[in-house]
Amino acid sequence: DAKHLVPNKMRDFFCTINLDQEEVFRTQVVEKSLSPYFGEEFYFEIPRTFQWLSFYIYDKSVLQKDLRIGKVSIKKEDLCNYTGKENWFMLQPVDSNSEVQGKVHLELKLNELITDNGSVCQQLVVHIKECHGLPLINGQNCDPYATVSLVGPSRNDQKKTKVKKKTSNPQFNETFYFEVTRSSSYTKKSQFQVEEEDIEKLEVRVDLWNNGNLVQDIFLGEIKVPVKVLRNDSFQAWYLLQPRENGNKSSKTDDLGSLRLNICYTEDCVLPSEYYTSLRNLLLKSSDVQPISASAAYILSEVCRDKYDAVLPLVRLLLHHHKLVPFVAAVAELDLKDTQEANTIFRGNSLATRCVDEMMKIVGKHYLKVTLKPVIDEICESPKPCEIDPIKLREGDNVEINMENLRYYVDKVFREIVRSSISCPTLMCDVFYSLRHLAAKRFPNDPHVQYSAVSSFVFLRFFAVAVVSPHTFHLRPHHPDAQTSRTLTLISKAIQTLGSWGSLTKSKLSSFKETFMCEFFKTFQEEKFTESVKKFLDDVSSTESKEPSGVSEPVHLKEGEMYKRAQGRTRIGKKNFKKRWFCLTSREFTYHKQQDKEPIFTIPIKNILAVEKLDESSFNKKNMFQVLHGEKPLYIQANNCVEASEWIEALCRVTRCNQKRLSFYHPSAFLNGSWLCCKATAESTEGCARCTADVPADTQIEIDGDRETERIYSLFTINRSKLQKLEEACGSIAVYQGPRKEPDDYSNFTIEDSVATFHTLQQIMDILEKLDESHEKYQKKRSSSAKYGSEENPIVGKVS
């Protein structure tokens, strides 16, 4: 959210997330506010190098261009300082001189020339080769050119390249010559004087500009290189473009407002799979360790400050290797040992409950979509007033009509849920089955506990949470507005209550916190809803085999708006790009004129031969990829680099088992009778580049096991001191067997068997040591191969 934004009057605001100058996400517009609450979460892989992560606040305009109010920009190197916690950031002015992105490739040389009379003078040769990654201007590739200057205390020679049209990666290949020092016999009168010592003060400055034609040219960035670094030798390197030295300074001192962000940034160096064998095996056998508190997976959750940090990679890894159900059963059994009353079962934030929560989010994504998305869309797109709290009613509201509207929505949502058991993923059913039987074993005299063990997850932590935050579960693109959000909150409360009816005794049915909700529930027939809930809970906690929903109906994987190139059709002789709605399921890849319309074009998944990036040079457009199938390639342009990467990954994953996948492809397009990449003239010529490797992940559960293991290694490494404390605690307990008299350093740790826990800790420490060595070797190899100044490791700032 943001607060105290300017101008000091109610406006419509939205916020964008940018990698350098490329917008990758945009929030919804919050209308008529000075302190807008966005409440949106974005999780994404970063597919390219970047310098800044930026957040721009815009004032939405209907007739004119949206106005940028201010920004928060965080350097990549500084992201780790803010990760995992909420911070308020002051908005900074948006200055065009500071909005830069990209890198430039330069070669500099200092020559000595002998003149006709035998005297010596020095000449500077500047070869500007190319640029990569320049920003889009108004959504389009820019028309860049460069100015090359030799600047000193008393001189400023400037030369200019040709303008390159519609490209973010211009190839200039132009050479410029500058006189650095003149021979002493040089007599021609000059505008400036050159002294020998001036060479220490001279520098080469390269400025990148976008040619504005009829409007003002836009600054894209600059670099400065002191001439003295050459030392009579040639110097060639890549440089990151920098803002002007006064770029971040502004005459404005006004307070533009502030923006609250919660950023979680992780950067992992994933080694080849064989390096993780020992750690992976130790984690995967956790469910077999007795007691479970002595296992590596449990120890990980004990040493992490926030259990969630450990739960996410742990659940994904165990899911990937089909080991989650026995682990959840083991930690749930430990949880139940400390549960004294049946009505508080699985209500806390323990390792067991968090593991089940995360499992439901990952595995239940499609289940939620097929069950709730249609009714959530109806509520958000055609909202009816549903406020029944007398304190919050507006003037003119009719509480009886509102109650009828709310009842209509609650009935519809409840009906969809209790009818959905056939779509519940088998893995969720297996977990619920384990929890149900563990609960019944712990409280054998309570007939309701077997239901509350399941309803506390499936109703309270899954459906009710998805209803109140549909954007978090990808059921809606954005956080709902305030009125709709209130409606969803009331529906969510009702679903929680109805879900608990199947597991509560009659005496507890009337215990409501709010009087108005009590009045609302008087309209419900308890017996009817109780029976429906019980039947549903019986169904979703059954181990009877049933067809997974992905077999009986296609699994919806991804959808969104992109641009596709007309396939062989022309408009006034020119190939054109059209905006279309794309949809990917486990059976087919389609595009539609608009969302919810019939598909215009369909490619069965089994017919896709390859999915690869397309060179920008093909159509002078960024973020393009190609889908190769039986007919001509389908060329698609995504809206940004993150979106392009996500679509390529999703398409590769769902087609990875296709038997006719290609081994080679053309990285560029076939235009004007030849392939741009290899110049072959036959359209049927085999590809000239090897296809990229398959994505190592499951179709419905997008998991890379090695990456998750590397994250766990990083967490163990960060918390190494706690591992050592736990080791000491185990040693102390083993030596001193008497009762603990007072709290100590290890009183927060769960140590049931000090010997078994100590043994596991030693194994973890040995594995960490070996992985440390492997990472050090890799970093040395990487630093020696990626020389400073190379394209992979460009120079930042001024060279000294």
Side-chain angles (χ1 to χ4, degrees):
D1 58 345
K3 63 182 180 183
H4 309 317
L5 299 180
V6 296
N8 293 316
K9 53 183 177 179
M10 306 295 262
R11 303 301 290 263
D12 301 340
F13 294 106
F14 66 91
C15 180
T16 67
I17 304 175
N18 293 48
L19 287 175
D20 297 320
Q21 292 305 294
E22 182 178 16
E23 181 185 318
V24 292
F25 288 107
R26 177 180 290 212
T27 70
Q28 65 170 353
V29 176
V30 178
E31 296 179 349
K32 296 182 174 52
S33 175
L34 280 177
S35 298
Y37 176 77
F38 301 110
E40 300 201 33
E41 292 180 13
F42 301 98
Y43 170 83
F44 59 100
E45 302 286 329
I46 299 176
R48 63 170 176 83
T49 57
F50 70 103
Q51 290 189 72
W52 299 86
L53 178 67
S54 299
F55 303 83
Y56 291 83
I57 295 285
Y58 283 82
D59 180 357
K60 179 74 176 171
S61 176
V62 178
L63 301 175
Q64 299 176 332
K65 189 178 175 183
D66 298 331
L67 177 67
R68 289 196 284 192
I69 298 295
K71 68 173 182 178
V72 172
S73 289
I74 305 171
K75 255 191 169 178
K76 179 186 173 183
E77 294 77 15
D78 296 333
L79 281 170
C80 57
N81 299 330
Y82 302 106
T83 191
K85 51 193 175 187
E86 285 186 0
N87 291 278
W88 280 101
F89 296 87
M90 296 298 292
L91 290 178
Q92 301 301 315
V94 179
D95 175 6
S96 60
N97 288 337
S98 69
E99 307 296 293
V100 303
Q101 173 187 314
K103 53 192 173 186
V104 59
H105 192 192
L106 275 191
E107 184 178 10
L108 307 173
K109 193 172 183 181
L110 205 55
N111 291 336
E112 285 192 346
L113 301 180
I114 300 175
T115 61
D116 294 340
N117 60 12
S119 58
V120 177
C121 69
Q122 287 186 303
Q123 181 189 55
L124 175 68
V125 183
V126 180
H127 179 195
I128 179 165
K129 295 187 173 185
E130 58 184 320
C131 289
H132 277 183
L134 297 180
L136 298 176
I137 305 294
N138 297 326
Q140 301 294 320
N141 279 331
C142 54
D143 295 338
Y145 69 90
T147 59
V148 183
S149 310
L150 183 63
V151 181
S154 55
R155 66 188 292 174
N156 189 351
D157 293 356
Q158 187 179 92
K159 301 177 190 289
K160 179 182 169 184
T161 68
K162 293 176 182 174
V163 175
K164 299 295 178 180
K165 291 287 185 183
K166 301 294 175 205
T167 177
S168 296
N169 301 321
Q171 303 282 326
F172 291 114
N173 281 320
E174 293 192 42
T175 306
F176 301 101
Y177 301 91
F178 297 90
E179 198 175 72
V180 177
T181 60
R182 292 193 174 86
S183 62
S184 55
S185 60
Y186 192 85
T187 54
K188 187 177 177 183
K189 203 162 185 181
S190 172
Q191 307 172 34
F192 49 79
Q193 298 194 335
V194 179
E195 304 291 342
E196 275 300 324
E197 62 270 15
D198 276 356
I199 196 167
E200 293 293 318
K201 300 173 184 175
L202 291 176
E203 65 180 13
V204 178
R205 193 179 78 210
V206 178
D207 292 81
L208 268 292
W209 298 86
N210 177 59
N211 182 39
N213 291 323
L214 301 176
V215 295
Q216 188 177 357
D217 293 353
I218 298 172
F219 174 75
L220 300 177
E222 70 175 14
I223 63 156
K224 294 178 181 180
V225 186
V227 173
K228 65 183 179 182
V229 301
L230 301 178
R231 312 286 181 203
N232 297 319
D233 197 6
S234 65
F235 187 86
Q236 183 178 174
W238 284 87
Y239 300 83
L240 281 176
L241 290 170
Q242 299 298 309
R244 283 188 176 149
E245 287 188 348
N246 65 343
N248 287 313
K249 295 173 186 174
S250 171
S251 56
K252 288 185 180 179
T253 56
D254 298 342
D255 182 359
L256 299 173
S258 51
L259 182 66
R260 182 166 58 167
L261 301 169
N262 191 337
I263 300 167
C264 186
Y265 174 76
T266 57
E267 188 173 323
D268 292 319
C269 166
V270 183
L271 301 172
S273 189
E274 59 269 19
Y275 287 91
Y276 299 109
T277 304
S278 299
L279 180 56
R280 184 169 55 241
N281 290 344
L282 186 64
L283 290 161
L284 293 180
K285 71 177 185 182
S286 290
S287 56
D288 302 324
V289 175
Q290 292 292 335
I292 189 67
S293 59
S295 68
Y298 195 91
I299 289 169
L300 176 69
S301 72
E302 286 282 274
V303 297
C304 286
R305 184 171 60 86
D306 185 348
K307 269 191 172 62
Y308 181 76
D309 291 340
V311 165
L312 183 58
L314 190 58
V315 167
R316 292 168 75 87
L317 180 69
L318 294 172
L319 265 176
H320 187 59
H321 293 279
H322 311 292
K323 294 281 188 181
L324 183 67
V325 177
F327 179 75
V328 167
V331 291
E333 193 168 13
L334 181 62
D335 217 19
L336 287 168
K337 280 183 186 177
D338 296 327
T339 306
Q340 302 305 317
E341 293 184 28
N343 62 352
T344 61
I345 193 168
F346 300 131
R347 291 298 171 98
N349 277 327
S350 64
L351 177 60
T353 57
R354 290 198 173 197
C355 282
V356 178
D357 285 352
E358 201 54 47
M359 176 275 296
M360 292 190 298
K361 279 184 190 173
I362 297 168
V363 176
K365 254 194 290 192
H366 175 65
Y367 178 36
L368 276 178
K369 277 191 175 178
V370 297
T371 306
L372 289 184
K373 194 172 191 314
V375 65
I376 295 291
D377 285 344
E378 180 189 337
I379 294 165
C380 293
E381 288 163 17
S382 309
K384 298 176 181 178
C386 294
E387 186 55 73
I388 57 172
D389 183 351
I391 299 170
K392 294 185 178 180
L393 284 172
R394 296 177 183 175
E395 193 175 338
D397 278 357
N398 186 319
V399 72
E400 290 181 2
I401 292 174
N402 287 8
M403 197 174 282
E404 283 177 19
N405 293 338
L406 181 59
R407 177 64 195 260
Y408 167 76
Y409 284 147
V410 169
D411 279 344
K412 197 161 188 179
V413 171
F414 180 80
R415 191 165 57 247
E416 293 300 327
I417 291 172
V418 295
R419 286 179 181 175
S420 71
S421 59
I422 190 66
S423 301
C424 185
T426 306
L427 189 74
M428 284 175 65
C429 294
D430 290 344
V431 169
F432 295 152
Y433 175 81
S434 294
L435 297 176
R436 176 176 182 162
H437 283 268
L438 285 168
K441 183 180 168 186
R442 174 71 179 84
F443 298 102
N445 299 322
D446 189 329
H448 303 284
V449 75
Q450 59 176 322
Y451 293 110
S452 60
V454 180
S455 68
S456 62
F457 287 106
V458 74
F459 278 102
L460 269 66
R461 293 172 175 264
F462 187 57
F463 284 120
V465 178
V467 168
V468 83
S469 303
H471 58 292
T472 308
F473 291 83
H474 306 291
L475 299 176
R476 295 291 299 168
H478 295 295
H479 188 282
D481 61 54
Q483 185 178 332
T484 308
S485 189
R486 174 63 180 162
T487 298
L488 292 172
T489 300
L490 291 169
I491 296 169
S492 178
K493 282 183 177 184
I495 293 302
Q496 288 181 53
T497 303
L498 292 173
S500 69
W501 276 11
S503 57
L504 292 177
T505 57
K506 293 287 180 186
S507 60
K508 294 174 185 172
L509 282 171
S510 58
S511 57
F512 295 101
K513 289 181 183 176
E514 297 113 333
T515 311
F516 63 88
M517 288 301 284
C518 186
E519 290 298 314
F520 176 62
F521 274 101
K522 285 179 181 176
T523 65
F524 288 78
Q525 292 178 326
E526 280 180 22
E527 291 77 12
K528 177 186 168 187
F529 283 91
T530 301
E531 287 309 308
S532 297
V533 169
K534 282 187 172 180
K535 185 179 183 310
F536 171 73
L537 294 175
D538 283 334
D539 289 344
V540 296
S541 57
S542 164
T543 56
E544 290 178 17
S545 61
K546 58 183 179 183
E547 288 287 295
S549 57
V551 174
S552 57
E553 59 181 67
V555 178
H556 179 100
L557 299 172
K558 191 167 178 61
E559 63 181 350
E561 205 167 57
M562 295 187 288
Y563 295 85
K564 64 99 193 170
R565 183 175 184 259
Q567 294 186 293
R569 295 183 293 279
T570 62
R571 180 182 287 176
I572 322 177
K574 185 180 178 182
K575 301 276 191 214
N576 58 90
F577 281 79
K578 290 183 178 178
K579 188 185 285 189
R580 292 288 181 256
W581 185 265
F582 287 81
C583 185
L584 174 65
T585 72
S586 55
R587 287 189 192 166
E588 58 191 21
F589 181 49
T590 58
Y591 63 75
H592 315 243
K593 199 162 188 179
Q594 292 174 332
Q595 188 179 2
D596 299 327
K597 298 286 184 185
E598 288 298 309
I600 300 172
F601 188 73
T602 300
I603 307 173
I605 293 300
K606 63 182 181 182
N607 292 356
I608 295 178
L609 308 176
V611 183
E612 299 287 346
K613 289 181 180 178
L614 186 72
D615 284 353
E616 183 193 322
S617 57
S618 300
F619 303 107
N620 280 333
K621 290 181 182 293
K622 296 183 81 168
N623 305 317
M624 287 204 67
F625 63 95
Q626 52 184 319
V627 179
L628 307 178
H629 57 111
E631 302 173 31
K632 291 186 177 183
L634 176 61
Y635 297 127
I636 301 170
Q637 183 187 26
N639 294 296
N640 56 64
C641 64
V642 171
E643 187 177 82
S645 176
E646 288 177 350
W647 272 104
I648 293 169
E649 189 180 347
L651 282 159
C652 283
R653 188 179 301 110
V654 78
T655 59
R656 77 195 190 288
C657 296
N658 287 1
Q659 293 180 350
K660 295 181 181 178
R661 277 184 70 93
L662 297 176
S663 299
F664 293 88
Y665 79 106
H666 291 283
S668 288
F670 185 82
L671 296 173
N672 302 321
S674 69
W675 290 102
L676 298 179
C677 40
C678 58
K679 309 304 178 192
T681 53
E683 197 167 357
S684 58
T685 304
E686 188 183 14
C688 56
R690 183 170 284 281
C691 288
T692 52
D694 292 336
V695 179
D698 184 271
T699 303
Q700 292 184 53
I701 305 171
E702 305 164 14
I703 296 171
D704 179 342
D706 292 338
R707 181 170 186 171
E708 304 306 334
T709 315
E710 168 62 30
R711 183 93 290 271
I712 290 169
Y713 157 72
S714 299
L715 291 169
F716 273 136
T717 304
I718 293 164
N719 295 288
R720 204 184 293 250
S721 61
K722 286 189 180 176
L723 289 171
Q724 290 165 345
K725 270 190 181 178
L726 192 50
E727 259 188 329
E728 291 167 12
C730 290
S732 301
I733 292 168
V735 173
Y736 174 66
Q737 296 289 343
R740 296 183 197 173
K741 295 178 182 176
E742 56 187 47
D744 47 38
D745 284 345
Y746 53 87
S747 57
N748 292 326
F749 293 134
T750 303
I751 305 173
E752 293 179 288
D753 185 330
S754 59
V755 176
T757 306
F758 187 80
H759 178 64
T760 305
L761 284 164
Q762 283 189 316
Q763 289 178 287
I764 293 169
M765 289 297 200
D766 291 342
I767 290 167
L768 293 186
E769 207 172 303
K770 287 174 185 171
L771 276 171
D772 288 344
E773 289 173 13
S774 302
H775 275 279
E776 281 172 26
K777 284 179 186 174
Y778 174 78
Q779 290 298 347
K780 282 178 184 174
K781 185 179 176 183
R782 187 183 179 193
S783 59
S784 60
S785 61
K787 182 184 169 189
Y788 191 49
S790 64
E791 186 175 359
E792 298 79 21
N793 189 16
I795 294 168
V796 182
K798 191 186 286 188
V799 179
S800 56

